[in-house]
Amino acid sequence: MPVRKNYIKVPIAILLGMAAAALFFSGCAQTVVQKNGRLQVIGNQLCNERGEAVQLKGMILMDVAWFGDYANPACFAWLRDDWGCTVIRAALYTQDSFGQPRALTQKKDMLKAVDAAVAAGLYVIIDWHNLADGNPMKYKSEALTFFREMAELYKDTPNVLYEICSEPNGDDVTWSGVVKPYAQEVITAIREIDPKNVILVGTPTWSQRVDIAADDPLSFDNIMYTCHFYAGSHFSALRDKVEYALGKDAAVFISEWGTTDHTGNGILYPEETFEWIDFMDEHKISWTNWCITSRKESSAVIKHTALSEGSWADGDLTESGLLVRSLIRGQDSAIVLFADGFETENFTSGGWYNENTGLDRDDAFHGYTAALLNPGGSLAKEFSTAGFMNVRVQLAYKTQNLAGDDTVKVEWYDGDNWQPVKNLGSSQSWTKHTIPLPEQASDNYSFQFRISAGFEGGDENAALDDIALIMDRIE
Ligand code: DCB
C-alpha cells in the first residue's frame, strides 16, 4: 500500500518541519531594535523606522564607572528577559566630587555599557550626566570631544540615543541663555557625523521645564526634550508642563524618574508613581527609572547580593526594584512587591522589626542564609497594600525540636489589632507555604504581617527563608 504510506508520511514531515522552524525562530526571537530599527521623532512622538509610535521602558545604570560591573551582556539580557526592559540609560557623571571633570577619563566605561546593551539587542542612551556642575557650558568642550567620538563610533548603530545634558540647574542656567545655545553647538557637532540617531536635550531646573523649551524649540530633526520626575516630589503641575510641551508638538522623553522623592532616598510613593505611569502610558512617553545600583538608598533596585551577571532572585531586588519590574512588565497580578531571602545576612535591608532572631548559615532553603526564630522571637514587616488586593504571604519554613502543640504563628495587622491567619506546626524538612490573607488586608495603608514563635523551649527554633508578599493590582 505505497500510496497510503506516503499519505501519512508527508503530513508528518510537514509537522516536523514546522516544529523545527518554530524552535528555530523562538531561539532567535527578534530584539526590540531588530523589530523597530532606527528610531525617529514624528511630531511629539517617538516612532520606529516605519513611523509607528513606540514607547520604550527601562532602567538607568547609576554610574558607568562605579557600577560598571553591571554593564555586561548577561546582565542586560536579564533585564531584557526577566524585566522586559527595551532600553538602558547609561549615566556618565561629568564631574567628580572634587569638582573636576571626569567624563573623558571614564569614557571607556561608557563604551563598555553601550556595547553590552547593543549585544543584548537593547536601545541605549548615552547620558552626559551633569548634576553638581549645573551649567552644561562648564564642560562644553569636553562634551564636544566626547559626542563627536560617540557619533563616529555609533552613527551606524540604530540602538544608540545621545543625551547631551542630564539636569541643567542653577538660577542663571536658563533655556534661551544657556541650555539652548549649548544644545545647538553639541547637536551641530553630532549631526555633522551622525545625521539620524535621536538626541535628548535636558531642560532647566533639573529637567523640569519642557514647557519653556517647547516655547523656544531647537530646529533639528529627531530631537526630544527630557522631563525628570521623582514621585514623592513632583506631581500634576509637572505633568501639566509635559502636556503643554506635547501640545506644542515638542517630543518628551522621561529619561529619569524615581519612586522616591528627589533625593533618591526615603520612603516610596507607589500611588503617585501609578499616576505618572498612567500618564506616560496615555501619551506613549518613553521612560527610564533611577536606578540600577546596590547603594543603600531607596531608589536603588538591587541589593549588594545581586550578581553582576543578572539571574537575580526576587530577594536580591529592593522594594523599588520589585515595583518597577512589575511596571516594566506591565504586570497586574501575582506581583511580588517584597522579598527577602536573608542573603544580605541582616534584617535591616528587608526593613524588618525583629526580636530574638538569628541567622542560619548552614541550612538555607535557597542560597546560603536563612532567618531563625528563637524562642519568643518574631519578625514583623510594615508594607502599605494601598492599591492592591488578594494579599498573600509566601515563606519557606523548617523547625527544630518543636514539641506537641508548639507552633509558629502567622498574623497580620489591620491598623488596630493583630489578627491570626495561620499556625504552622513542626516540619523537619523545608516546606513552602503561600498563605492568603483576608479581604481586609487589601488596600490598607496600615498593613503589617508578623511571623512569631509560639514556643518557649531553649532548643526549639524555626528557620524561615524566601519570605515574600504577593498581590494583585486593584483595577
Ligand atoms: C537627580 C540626579 C541623580 C540623583 C537623583 C536622586 O538629581 F540626576 O544623579 O542621584 O536625581 O537625587 C543621586 C544619587 C545619590 C548621589 C547623588 C549625587 O541617588 O546616591 O549621592 O545623586 O551624585 C536631582 C533631581 C531633581 C532635583 C534635585 C536633584 N530636584 N539633585 O528636583 O530638586 O540635586 O540631585
Side-chain angles (χ1 to χ4, degrees):
M1 311 276 276
V3 175
R4 199 165 164 187
K5 229 178 176 174
N6 281 343
Y7 176 75
I8 293 166
K9 258 186 188 161
V10 171
I12 286 174
I14 290 173
L15 280 176
L16 280 174
M18 280 165 59
L23 270 176
F24 176 78
F25 284 112
S26 67
C28 53
Q30 277 198 313
T31 67
V32 65
V33 179
Q34 285 165 339
K35 266 184 240 159
N36 293 288
R38 200 189 288 264
L39 301 172
Q40 56 176 324
V41 178
I42 302 176
N44 63 18
Q45 180 61 52
L46 182 63
C47 294
N48 67 16
E49 197 167 77
R50 296 180 298 279
E52 300 154 350
V54 292
Q55 186 190 15
L56 305 178
K57 298 177 185 179
M59 290 304 307
I60 303 166
L61 180 62
M62 180 186 239
D63 179 329
V64 289
W66 193 0
F67 292 97
D69 282 355
Y70 291 102
N72 64 77
C75 183
F76 289 170
W78 179 260
L79 286 160
R80 177 194 67 201
D81 298 336
D82 187 61
W83 290 49
C85 287
T86 49
V87 58
I88 296 289
R89 178 181 187 240
L92 179 54
Y93 278 86
T94 49
Q95 182 171 290
D96 68 20
S97 48
F98 305 103
Q100 295 302 309
R102 57 170 246 187
L104 291 184
T105 55
Q106 294 174 346
K107 191 184 61 194
K108 61 177 192 316
D109 302 301
M110 177 60 87
L111 301 186
K112 182 183 168 225
V114 174
D115 293 345
V118 171
L122 295 171
Y123 288 103
V124 57
I125 299 167
I126 298 177
D127 164 27
W128 185 256
H129 200 79
N130 76 308
L131 181 62
D133 47 329
N135 188 333
M137 288 292 191
K138 184 167 179 192
Y139 298 123
K140 188 188 73 183
S141 73
E142 286 85 350
L144 288 168
T145 305
F146 176 82
F147 280 108
R148 281 192 183 109
E149 192 172 338
M150 294 300 121
E152 283 296 349
L153 286 168
Y154 297 117
K155 59 177 188 281
D156 298 318
T157 307
N159 309 61
V160 169
L161 297 84
Y162 311 100
E163 183 168 355
I164 61 173
C165 53
S166 175
E167 291 189 348
N169 62 84
D171 290 343
D172 50 348
V173 183
T174 60
W175 172 254
S176 54
V178 178
V179 187
K180 189 182 181 191
Y182 166 85
Q184 241 144 0
E185 262 191 85
V186 177
I187 296 170
T188 301
I190 295 173
R191 284 293 179 247
E192 278 167 7
I193 301 162
D194 178 344
K196 284 197 180 136
N197 279 340
V198 169
I199 300 174
L200 311 184
V201 185
T203 58
T205 321
W206 294 281
S207 288
Q208 289 160 30
R209 298 311 302 263
V210 287
D211 54 331
I212 296 179
D215 280 337
D216 181 15
L218 291 155
S219 51
F220 297 91
D221 290 336
N222 294 334
I223 297 296
M224 303 179 82
Y225 304 98
T226 67
C227 173
H228 291 177
F229 76 84
Y230 281 79
S233 299
H234 310 112
F235 312 98
S236 63
L238 187 55
R239 291 193 287 274
D240 291 346
K241 291 190 171 73
V242 174
E243 273 183 336
Y244 177 88
L246 295 174
K248 296 229 153 179
D249 247 7
V252 175
F253 199 120
I254 296 194
S255 59
E256 186 176 316
W257 72 270
T259 57
T260 60
D261 70 16
H262 71 275
T263 64
N265 217 341
I267 62 165
L268 305 194
Y269 293 82
E271 290 182 291
E272 291 77 3
T273 294
F274 294 140
E275 289 200 38
W276 274 102
I277 292 293
D278 292 345
F279 175 82
M280 294 188 288
D281 282 347
E282 183 193 331
H283 295 289
K284 278 198 186 318
I285 297 176
S286 295
W287 55 258
T288 45
N289 172 265
W290 188 261
C291 65
I292 301 171
T293 180
S294 57
R295 281 196 90 180
K296 284 203 177 83
E297 54 187 43
S298 2
S299 57
V301 296
I302 49 178
K303 301 175 189 169
H304 69 83
T305 55
L307 301 174
S308 51
E309 298 78 25
S311 300
W312 301 328
D314 290 349
D316 291 321
L317 304 185
T318 62
E319 288 169 35
S320 190
L322 290 164
L323 176 64
V324 173
R325 182 180 69 173
S326 81
L327 296 172
I328 298 177
R329 285 176 171 177
Q331 198 181 359
D332 48 28
S333 63
I335 310 167
V336 177
L337 285 172
F338 168 77
D340 200 350
F342 304 100
E343 298 305 302
T344 58
E345 306 210 321
N346 64 54
F347 292 97
T348 46
S349 64
W352 295 101
Y353 298 102
N354 59 303
E355 265 178 73
N356 295 334
T357 52
L359 293 166
D360 188 338
R361 295 184 181 82
D362 300 323
D363 184 13
F365 177 68
H366 260 155
Y368 302 101
T369 311
L372 271 185
L373 285 183
N374 294 315
S378 65
L379 264 181
K381 171 75 191 169
E382 245 176 47
F383 194 99
S384 166
T385 62
F388 293 93
M389 61 182 184
N390 302 329
V391 180
R392 48 261 197 212
V393 172
Q394 195 169 73
L395 54 87
Y397 160 86
K398 183 182 172 176
T399 60
Q400 264 191 337
N401 306 322
L402 252 58
D405 48 6
D406 285 346
T407 175
V408 173
K409 295 182 282 187
V410 180
E411 300 156 294
W412 73 281
Y413 186 72
D414 62 12
D416 295 314
N417 297 298
W418 285 99
Q419 306 286 354
V421 187
K422 196 178 173 82
N423 284 331
L424 302 169
S426 77
S427 175
Q428 318 280 48
S429 57
W430 283 103
T431 51
K432 207 169 166 181
H433 296 263
T434 302
I435 303 159
L437 301 188
E439 197 44 50
Q440 302 90 294
S442 301
D443 206 20
N444 189 327
Y445 286 97
S446 315
F447 176 78
Q448 298 184 40
F449 73 97
R450 179 165 77 183
I451 305 158
S452 53
F455 51 82
E456 296 293 337
D459 62 345
E460 298 178 301
N461 67 47
L464 299 166
D465 205 353
D466 283 9
I467 303 183
L469 267 180
I470 303 170
M471 42 199 111
D472 305 332
R473 273 294 294 276
I474 297 172
E475 280 322 315

